[in-house]
Each structure stands twice: as structure tokens, then as C-alpha cells.
Amino acid sequence: MRSSRSGAARPPAGPPGTDSPPITESDDPLRARPGPPAGPAAGGPGGTCLGSEDATKPLTERDAEAQVHGICFKTGPPGRVGVELEWLVCDGLDPALPVDQQRAATAVAPLSAAGALPGGGMITTEPGGQVELSSAPAAGLGDCIAIAGLDLAALRQAIHQESLCLSGQGLDPIRPPRRVLELPRYAAMEQFFDRAGPWGRLMMCSTASVQVCVDAGGEGPGWSGFRWRWHLLHAIGPVLVAAFANSPLRGGRPTGWKSTRQAIWARLDPTRTRPPAPPEPAPGHRPGRAWPPDTDPRSAWVDYALAAELMCVRRPGQQDWSAPAGLTFRDWLRGAGERRPTSSDLSYHLSTLFPPVRPRGHLEVRGIDAQPGDGWIVPLAVTTALLDDPLAAEQAMAAAEALWHRPRPGARGAPRTPGPGRGGHPAGWHPASPWWLAARHGPAHPPLAAASRQCFAAAQAALARAGGHPAARQAVAAFAERYVHRDRCPADDLLDQARTGRGRPLLPGRTHILLEDFNGQDAKA
């Protein structure tokens, strides 16, 4: 993926006179798929397979549905993998200092040209100055680790030469959000999210993640089919959030969340950040069962995409790109708005949708906090192993099913399946939802801890069966021993370091920014 919080680096052609912003954000590490395009990179990030004339022709509602339906899942035998690594950029001597964007730009400039990185990846910049390294597509896990490692070594060297450093944390623990990129898109994005509070600015300017990109899969109903892989990634999504939670601090104080980054995403516009319903596993799973072939993620994604509010409307030159409040893309297709939308507008709109798993031809896993050092290898290896090994896929689905349909306290055998949006909560983020529990408690929550142990055991066995990948196997084993087997996550290390004085000491008190739950009541940890 090369379109995290900001969307496409090379937006498709807009209406006549519309300026395309410079390359400042990520595109698509699976961009080199042979044959049919793998997704947005086909005609520019967030892109379209249409020619320039078709891209600017007004869309009908039926055409829009067909376009989204046709590009969201590019099917074929799975195998390729990519990774996107976002980093906070800090001063090498004092991480609390704001970093002049020119220093970071100077550092990465020699590596930003096409072909400049030894592994063939791409370096881009996010709105708050975070640096993002997107790998080239790789034929498998080992190749992905190798080429991303080469590119990361080059990036680290360049950053260090400017007396800067890369920090692998999901949320800046000290500095307030500060947007350093002045482009119409970001101004419109900031204005859109400001309607609901400070969460959008925090997401844009203070967060970082590891994003794993995998092929969608084939058309068949089994473990290698796109339906199964789509549902499995949603099913294990909370496990990945919990296991790799690494953002417990904000403004120098504990937030009360292990993944504050994920909690921030949950506060944003639910029409673009919740999972499309219903992606979670159905109860009653049996080993060997294929996902029902009538399950249709494509139609669910079409409905989701067109029901999402517009974040921005591209206009010529430096005009304001803000969109009317409450206007969905389907409303725009039906005549609302200042002009008729085009195929290019739809492609751009798709780049502003941020669910936990995003279909962009391939599948983009978005819920993992940035990890310190080379810790990114572990979520990459675990996710890939659970998807690409048939036994591991079955075991992971069974573990996730037990998490999603755990019994209610005091109700023997009664399943607990939080309904979307129940009680006024964003869909998928009811306080009983595994997503919410994962962000709040990490693996300290017993059902999440159990699911994490099962998924890691399945991944380790799959990696051993596959052979090779020694770096991945060693990294996963070390992570499991240090965290998973002890019901801990990297966030616990940050809290321990701050409390014992081994890291930057905690400021007195607790931050109040995220203590309330989604009903506005105090959340009990």
C-alpha cells in the first residue's frame, strides 16, 4: 500500500485546471503486479484503469458501482507481499523538540527519486512530517524482509546524517500535532476531521504504523480465496492490534489505552474508518470449512465506499478543497454538489477511506502500531504466515471465532456478538467489541491473550513448515517469548520505562484526552 492516512501520492487527473499535489505520501508496494493492475497504482495511486478522457467524464451511479466493484479485489493465486513502515522523525538529542521539516526533507531528498533506494522501495512524507518507507512488491516473505531491510538501512543512514532519528511508536508520546505540509488536500482533510474534535489532527500528524500488504487471493471459496482472506484479516485484526500495541502515552502521560493510535482512529468519521459489515467470523466454524461462496465482500465494499462522506472536492489551483458537510459520494452521484463527479473523483475518494483492512486490488492491513527498531518484521511475518498456510489459516480463524463469540459473563454458552453501532457507538467499536478491547487493554484482556497465543503458535509452526526465513522465525520466537507468553505488548515496555525513569519520565497526572468511553462515561481500565 502507498496510501495511508493521506491517500494517493500521484492523484489521477482531476477536472480541467486542477493541480496535482507533489509526491508527499504513499502509493502501493504491490504496484508491479504483472498482468491486470493490482489496484490503485494502475493509473496513479488510488487510481483507475480508465484512459484520461474516461477519467474526466461524468459518472453515472451504475458506472461508479461497477468501477469500485471491478478494482477492489484483483484475484489470482496469492503469493506477493509488501510492507509500509511509517516513522516519527525526532531530533537526535531531544525527542521533545519539534523538527524543522526542511531538515527531514534535506535528509531524504537523495533517496526520493525513482530507483534511488537499493531495494526498489519509495520514501514519502506524511502531513506531520512522518517519513514512510514503502517496499517494492516481493515474491514472498523472505524477499520482502530483505529488500525492505536494505531500504531501511539507507533511510536510517540519511536521517542520522542530519542528526535526526526514526522513532517506531504508534503515537508521538510528547509533541503536539503540527501539520508541516501545506497542500489543499491536507487543509480540507483537517477541516473535515475538525468537525468531530482533535482526533483528525492527531491521526494526520502524530501517528505511525506498520501496514502489511498481501494479494487478495483467488476466486475460490477456500483458504486461498479472497473471501476467506478478507474475513480472516478482519477476524484476527483485534489480535494484531493487541499484540503490537505500542502507543500508551500522549503529552508525556498515560492515556489509559495500550494502542492510543487505534483509539484515535475509532474517534474519526465511522463512514470511512469502521470495518465494512459484517466481516467478522460467523459462529459454528468447523475445521476444513470453506468460507461460503455467496459471501460478497465486493458488494459490501461498493456500498461502504459510496456511502462514505466526501472529505474533499478537488478544485483548480489553490482553491479550497473542502467538501460540504454530510455529502456522501452517492449523494454527489445523484446530483448534489457543485458539479458531476468523474471516475477520477471516485478514485480519489477511495484513497480517503481508512478501514482496518482496505481492498485496493490487494489487501492492506492497517491496524498495527509502528514498532521499534526492526520489530516490523514480526507483524509482517505473522500476518503472512497466518494467511498463506492452510493449517495456520484454519487455526487462526478458530482462535478468532472464540474471541468474537465468547460467552457472556453469567450466561452459559450464550454468544456475545456486539452489534454494529449499538448504543450510539461507531460500528465495530462498542466497548464489548474485540477492536475496542484490543486498543484499550492489549493482551492483558484474557480472551485476547488466549487468541494471541494461539495465533502466534500457528504462525510459528507455519514459518517452520515453510522453511527458510530464519530472520523472521527468530524475530517471531523472540517476540512471543518477550510479550505474547507473558500477556504483554510493546506498550508495556514504554510504560515501564517511563515509570522507572529509564525513559523520559512521566509528567504528573494523566491525560484526559482519551479517558472517556464512547458514551462519554469514564472508562474503567
Side-chain angles (χ1 to χ4, degrees):
M1 171 202 111
R2 303 205 177 194
S3 179
S4 60
R5 66 182 55 77
S6 313
R10 301 179 185 86
T18 301
D19 291 334
S20 294
I23 297 175
T24 53
E25 43 197 277
S26 59
D27 188 349
D28 180 357
L30 301 191
R31 65 194 183 279
R33 172 192 279 278
T48 173
C49 301
L50 302 176
S52 58
E53 181 177 349
D54 289 332
T56 57
K57 180 181 178 181
L59 272 183
T60 66
E61 191 168 350
R62 176 178 292 184
D63 289 342
E65 291 173 345
Q67 179 177 331
V68 178
H69 191 279
I71 66 174
C72 56
F73 296 91
K74 296 294 184 183
T75 56
R80 294 187 320 149
V81 62
V83 68
E84 184 169 331
L85 307 175
E86 297 175 346
W87 303 92
L88 304 174
V89 179
C90 299
D91 183 85
L93 297 177
D94 187 350
L97 291 176
V99 171
D100 183 350
Q101 176 58 19
Q102 190 57 46
R103 289 176 67 192
T106 299
V108 302
L111 302 178
S112 298
L117 287 171
M122 179 183 293
I123 291 176
T124 51
T125 304
E126 296 291 348
Q130 308 96 311
V131 172
E132 186 167 31
L133 171 62
S134 298
S135 76
L141 175 61
D143 287 346
C144 185
I145 293 172
I147 62 175
L150 287 173
D151 290 346
L152 182 56
L155 173 60
R156 284 172 171 156
Q157 182 179 10
I159 286 287
H160 290 165
Q161 287 176 351
E162 290 294 324
S163 299
L164 300 171
C165 64
L166 302 176
S167 176
Q169 298 186 54
L171 177 70
D172 194 311
I174 304 170
R175 299 173 297 184
R178 183 174 67 98
R179 181 162 62 89
V180 300
L181 298 181
E182 295 296 335
L183 294 169
R185 175 187 176 95
Y186 300 131
M189 181 182 289
E190 190 173 82
Q191 180 178 332
F192 177 90
F193 284 128
D194 279 351
R195 298 168 188 162
W199 323 114
R201 293 182 184 229
L202 282 168
M203 177 275 291
M204 292 170 63
C205 302
S206 297
T207 62
S209 68
V210 172
Q211 297 179 8
V212 179
C213 300
V214 294
D215 280 325
E219 287 287 348
W223 65 272
S224 63
F226 80 93
R227 298 172 185 86
W228 177 278
R229 290 162 70 86
W230 171 254
H231 285 276
L232 178 58
L233 285 174
H234 283 91
I236 66 173
V239 174
L240 299 176
V241 170
F244 301 108
N246 191 33
S247 51
L249 303 173
R250 175 71 201 138
R253 300 180 176 90
T255 64
W257 297 75
K258 294 298 177 66
S259 178
T260 309
R261 171 185 166 273
Q262 190 67 12
I264 289 169
W265 275 106
R267 301 304 179 88
L268 300 176
D269 170 28
T271 73
R272 63 185 359 93
T273 60
R274 64 172 171 80
E280 65 271 6
H285 173 73
R286 298 185 303 277
R289 181 186 121 193
W291 202 266
D294 57 354
T295 300
D296 189 4
R298 288 189 176 106
S299 294
W301 181 249
V302 170
D303 292 342
Y304 179 96
L306 300 187
E309 291 188 34
L310 283 176
M311 178 177 285
C312 57
V313 176
R314 292 170 300 153
R315 298 182 179 93
Q318 295 300 308
Q319 293 185 49
D320 180 14
W321 284 22
S322 60
L327 181 68
T328 69
F329 201 91
R330 197 177 291 278
D331 293 336
W332 198 11
L333 290 165
R334 292 176 176 177
E338 63 198 57
R339 59 174 175 82
R340 293 286 301 280
T342 66
S343 171
S344 177
D345 289 319
L346 177 55
S347 296
Y348 206 85
H349 172 69
L350 295 176
S351 78
T352 70
L353 306 181
F354 311 114
V357 181
R358 180 164 60 174
R360 306 187 66 227
H362 60 278
L363 302 178
E364 176 184 85
V365 184
R366 305 177 46 81
I368 302 167
D369 281 356
Q371 301 293 294
D374 289 328
W376 56 272
I377 293 174
V378 181
L380 173 64
V382 168
T383 305
T384 304
L386 294 180
L387 280 179
D388 290 348
D389 181 279
L391 179 57
E394 288 281 358
Q395 292 170 335
M397 185 68 85
E401 184 179 300
L403 170 65
W404 280 91
H405 302 291
R406 63 197 185 280
R408 295 188 186 93
R412 183 176 300 174
R416 166 182 269 176
T417 307
R422 185 177 302 169
H425 301 282
W429 278 90
H430 187 281
S433 162
W435 293 104
W436 190 96
L437 294 168
R440 182 73 169 162
H441 303 291
H445 187 262
L448 277 161
S452 295
R453 287 192 291 271
Q454 293 173 52
C455 285
F456 267 76
Q460 287 181 270
L463 290 169
R465 284 191 292 273
H469 317 316
R473 291 161 60 187
Q474 292 168 12
V476 172
F479 188 96
E481 175 61 29
R482 179 171 181 175
Y483 298 113
V484 179
H485 297 163
R486 303 179 186 185
D487 300 343
R488 288 173 60 89
C489 59
D492 293 308
D493 286 352
L494 295 177
L495 290 169
D496 289 348
Q497 290 168 11
R499 288 167 181 151
T500 60
R502 288 183 290 128
R504 178 172 288 271
L506 295 176
L507 297 178
R510 299 180 75 190
T511 180
H512 294 290
I513 194 168
L514 288 163
L515 289 182
E516 75 280 4
D517 69 14
F518 294 104
N519 280 330
Q521 305 297 319
D522 184 50
K524 305 301 181 184

